[in-house]
Amino acid sequence: MSAQPFGNGIRGALLIGTGTYDHPELPALRSPEVDCTRLDALLRDPKIGAFEVQTLIDAGRSTLERAIGEFFLTAWGNDVRLLYLSCHGIVSRSDKLHFAIRQTNPDRPAYTTISAAFIHDVMDECRARSIVVILDCCYSGLFLPGAKSDESARFEEALAGHGRVVITAGTRSQRAWEGQHLDAETPAPSLFTGMLIEGMSSGAADLNGDGIVTLQELYRYACQRLHQEGAAQTPRMGGEMQYDIALAKVRKERKQRSSRTDRTDSRSRRPAGTRARRKPEPWQTRGAFGPARQPILSNGVLVVHEKYKLHAIDLESRQRFPLIRMWYPGSPALYGDAAYFPGKGGHLQVVDLRAGKRRASYPVPVRDGLLGVSKDVLYAPTQDGSLCAFAPSTLRLLWSLPLNGLAVTSAPQAAAGYVLFMARESRMPGDVSNCSADRIVAVSEGWEIWSYKAEAPLSPDWAVTDRGIYMVLQPEGPSSYQRIVALNPENGQRLWSFDTRAHLASAPVVADEVLLFGDADNRLVALDARTGTLRWDKEKKTNGRLLVRPFVVGDALFTADRTAKLARWNLRTGRKVRSHDLLVSADRQGSPAIHDGVVYATDSRGDVHALPI
């Protein structure tokens, strides 16, 4: 079936999402708003969807019925009408289908919902040549966390008919799943709608390579991707259409032409024996089974940490090594081609990243998530209150330091010849003093050299270099700001402090004598790491709150925020250069890995993306 071209008709899309419900039997959904928001951006883009889009989130019944009526009854001729709904679905006692809204009472669907019969009647009056209905709806009788309806085939039966096409998220015997939400501030698209967004935004759903994503191609792409994900979810498509409907164009990258002089002038040719280095191609592969931390590159292996699991991928061949299961959820330490974490009983163990097998262990229980490898030494806080240093390859104990009531709260790092870590004093029962019990400690060869007692509780966000320790103080009491304090790592003397205007969104990072961080108000801030003064003349803002630490390659600064923008900035001036659409997985203490001109990032579903700089 050939695709109907975009043509001269009006392309209209009405996106309806309801995630908030007043009735206690209807659990809240977090995917509908992000589903509609991201579809709105894609369909509205003149280079992709070229639709006129109206989006309604958590709207009332009268507003929705009027919008649906006007949407279909004002269309005619070669117009295209696309209706999308993401919400709970309800099947009444008389086996009638209804779409839940915020004020819905599941026991009174007749007058507290949008009925499928209403939509069907309005569509019957529509004169548009092409009508598409996409439904990612859930059924209120299923209360499994994140689960959607097993009755979605009923949507197809209720709305399909002559001159229209209906796509549903699954069959009547399956559940349609919400996205894997990272936290309260980073909801993810639903599994089904996420595949539609992925197929159109990347152009991967253009299966025949003609530059157009059609309805049938997008449907087949979503089915294939859900199968690859191992989701027990099979979308359905029904209805009748004369032409395959063109939904989106594939956005093509602009190709740079070589000038005539470059091709013919011998003076511009490269010396004999040299070859132009080709820019690597971007690629994507499955990293984890859901949201995970940003990848770490260790001896040619990309390691993605998901709670209780380590996924290892060979960087060159993209081959997956055996899955490594852990006894505890905290992040491991990596060195060479080995991972270090507490095994059964908390005992320190070493596992080969490529073989997935245990190499060695040491009979001392260590604290989960606080192991660190720095300057070729493995540092491990123990459960009995000591800090041990090991030779990583053999687990030979180098030294052990009793901490005398201090509890380590960060993975130790080496800088300026010392081992540095954050710690908290154990308070005696009945101690109600307001004095901070947090401190920074410097150790050398198993001996404490200096200690800095913070005047306020310490945030786990910090940065360490040979020239400075940059810690973040949490002000006690209600306050909108935090204070960054810089210490001299050689003696613990205070160098400078800076009061932020809002809380940090992620841990700061130091590169090329610049301290960088993003705050909760979407400001991107650059400080002189030596003096604490602002480096940029004007205030810079990201589209949304940062999900990972800023990271730097040469004179390029990269940020990734919750609006699915991976942006590149000029480090010296703070000017945004360009951005790439990618919703990365939140990792407050981490950032994407960088190697040989390629950024490796984990997205919100656990996939690893390789993006040439």
Side-chain angles (χ1 to χ4, degrees):
M1 181 180 293
S2 60
Q4 181 184 10
F6 274 23
N8 297 321
I10 297 175
R11 294 164 59 81
L14 176 59
L15 312 179
I16 297 173
T18 303
T20 303
Y21 300 91
D22 296 336
H23 199 280
E25 291 184 11
L26 293 175
L29 298 172
R30 298 173 59 194
S31 290
E33 182 174 0
V34 70
D35 285 341
C36 291
T37 301
R38 298 193 65 187
L39 278 175
D40 185 301
L42 281 175
L43 296 176
R44 189 185 299 273
D45 190 329
K47 296 181 180 179
I48 300 179
F51 278 86
E52 295 180 2
V53 184
Q54 181 184 7
T55 297
L56 297 172
I57 304 295
D58 293 339
R61 186 185 183 192
S62 60
T63 299
L64 291 173
E65 288 185 342
R66 178 181 293 273
I68 293 169
E70 292 295 322
F71 178 68
F72 284 115
L73 297 179
T74 56
W76 66 288
N78 289 325
D79 290 353
V80 177
R81 286 293 182 262
L82 188 157
L83 174 65
Y84 170 86
L85 293 99
S86 179
C87 59
H88 281 300
I90 295 175
V91 178
S92 67
R93 296 174 185 174
S94 58
D95 208 31
K96 303 294 185 181
L97 177 67
H98 301 262
F99 300 101
I101 59 176
R102 180 165 185 161
Q103 298 82 12
T104 290
N105 181 341
D107 297 325
R108 302 291 185 269
Y111 54 88
T112 64
T113 66
I114 302 297
S115 70
F118 166 77
I119 298 177
H120 190 280
D121 290 343
V122 176
M123 288 170 59
D124 280 344
E125 301 294 325
C126 182
R127 297 181 180 181
R129 184 179 186 182
S130 302
I131 300 176
V132 179
V133 180
I134 300 177
L135 301 163
D136 196 350
C137 299
C138 56
Y139 179 62
S140 61
L142 290 176
F143 291 103
L144 294 176
K148 289 191 174 181
S149 176
D150 64 352
E151 298 287 340
S152 56
R154 298 193 182 191
F155 297 114
E156 178 184 329
E157 296 162 1
L159 294 179
H162 180 71
R164 66 200 61 152
V165 181
V166 179
I167 295 179
T168 65
T171 68
R172 70 175 63 207
S173 61
Q174 295 174 332
R175 302 185 182 102
W177 294 89
E178 277 212 295
Q180 295 283 349
H181 307 298
L182 305 176
D183 53 48
E185 297 178 349
T186 54
S190 69
L191 191 57
F192 170 63
T193 301
M195 298 309 177
L196 304 182
I197 293 169
E198 177 185 291
M200 287 189 289
S201 62
S202 67
D206 178 18
L207 303 182
N208 62 6
D210 65 353
I212 298 291
V213 175
T214 69
L215 183 63
Q216 291 202 45
E217 284 180 320
L218 187 60
Y219 167 73
R220 292 199 300 270
Y221 175 82
C223 291
Q224 293 169 3
R225 287 288 288 118
L226 288 169
H227 177 72
Q228 292 171 0
E229 294 288 331
Q233 184 175 335
T234 306
R236 295 286 301 275
M237 182 167 70
E240 301 176 6
M241 58 182 173
Q242 185 177 357
Y243 297 95
D244 194 0
I245 301 170
L247 287 183
K249 300 175 184 177
V250 176
R251 182 159 42 187
K252 298 180 179 179
E253 298 293 336
R254 182 179 297 174
K255 296 182 179 179
Q256 294 184 351
R257 296 181 178 179
S258 299
S259 67
R260 190 176 186 88
T261 303
D262 289 339
R263 295 194 301 267
T264 60
D265 190 351
S266 61
R267 289 175 298 178
S268 66
R269 294 177 182 173
R270 295 177 178 84
T274 64
R275 181 177 298 177
R277 183 178 178 182
R278 297 181 60 184
K279 190 174 182 178
E281 294 292 328
W283 52 266
Q284 176 182 348
T285 188
R286 166 53 72 198
F289 302 132
R293 297 198 65 174
Q294 291 303 309
I296 298 175
L297 183 61
S298 183
N299 198 32
V301 179
L302 276 174
V303 182
V304 179
H305 172 231
E306 184 182 10
K307 280 188 177 181
Y308 300 101
K309 303 181 187 73
L310 281 184
H311 306 268
I313 305 167
D314 184 80
L315 186 62
E316 184 174 350
S317 67
R318 305 176 204 171
Q319 173 189 356
R320 292 182 64 90
F321 296 120
L323 178 69
I324 299 173
R325 298 188 180 275
M326 303 190 298
W327 288 86
Y328 299 88
S331 296
L334 303 176
Y335 181 78
D337 54 0
Y340 303 79
F341 51 85
K344 189 175 182 179
H347 291 177
L348 177 62
Q349 71 175 27
V350 189
V351 174
D352 190 296
L353 288 173
R354 297 176 183 271
K357 296 181 178 180
R358 190 175 69 175
R359 284 184 183 175
S361 63
Y362 192 89
V364 61
V366 296
R367 296 184 59 196
D368 181 43
L370 295 176
L371 303 180
V373 176
S374 189
K375 304 291 180 68
D376 297 325
V377 177
L378 170 66
Y379 300 99
T382 65
Q383 295 182 16
D384 63 1
S386 297
L387 177 65
C388 294
F390 297 91
S393 57
T394 62
L395 285 191
R396 178 175 61 87
L397 181 64
L398 302 177
W399 51 261
S400 177
L401 172 67
L403 297 178
N404 300 321
L406 290 179
V408 177
T409 57
S410 69
Q413 301 184 47
Y418 299 130
V419 181
L420 304 162
F421 58 90
M422 288 191 286
R424 178 164 297 155
E425 295 178 6
S426 300
R427 293 185 177 181
M428 299 297 293
D431 184 359
V432 294
S433 64
N434 292 324
C435 297
S436 170
D438 292 354
R439 61 179 63 211
I440 304 289
V441 180
V443 172
S444 177
E445 298 298 328
W447 296 91
E448 181 178 323
I449 304 302
W450 59 260
S451 170
Y452 177 90
K453 188 172 183 179
E455 62 269 29
L458 287 174
S459 161
D461 304 328
W462 72 329
V464 177
T465 72
D466 285 334
R467 295 190 177 185
I469 303 168
Y470 306 92
M471 59 184 183
V472 181
L473 301 183
Q474 303 273 32
E476 296 180 311
S479 176
S480 60
Y481 73 94
Q482 291 177 305
R483 176 170 295 165
I484 299 176
V485 176
L487 302 179
N488 185 334
E490 296 181 355
N491 52 28
Q493 296 296 312
R494 187 165 175 156
L495 300 176
W496 53 261
S497 66
F498 178 87
D499 287 346
T500 67
R501 294 170 62 184
H503 280 224
L504 270 64
S506 66
V509 68
V510 179
D512 196 22
E513 300 296 335
V514 181
L515 176 74
L516 299 152
F517 66 89
D519 69 18
D521 290 336
N522 303 343
R523 279 183 288 264
L524 182 62
V525 183
L527 303 178
D528 189 306
R530 295 164 297 182
T531 63
T533 56
L534 292 168
R535 290 287 295 263
W536 296 331
D537 295 334
K538 297 181 180 179
E539 183 178 271
K540 311 297 178 183
K541 280 207 168 188
T542 56
N543 290 352
R545 186 177 298 187
L546 297 189
L547 295 174
V548 298
R549 285 188 179 199
F551 53 106
V552 176
V553 184
D555 61 353
L557 163 67
F558 294 87
T559 60
D561 62 50
R562 56 182 294 192
T563 64
K565 293 297 181 183
L566 177 62
R568 177 172 179 169
W569 310 69
N570 183 294
L571 178 62
R572 184 176 60 83
T573 64
R575 182 177 64 87
K576 184 184 291 187
V577 179
R578 61 175 178 268
S579 63
H580 178 85
D581 291 337
L582 181 66
L583 180 63
V584 304
S585 186
D587 187 352
R588 189 180 181 97
Q589 306 294 331
S591 61
I594 305 168
H595 176 70
D596 202 18
V598 178
V599 172
Y600 300 93
T602 308
D603 71 14
S604 59
R605 296 187 182 279
D607 289 350
V608 173
H609 297 251
L611 305 171
I613 298 174

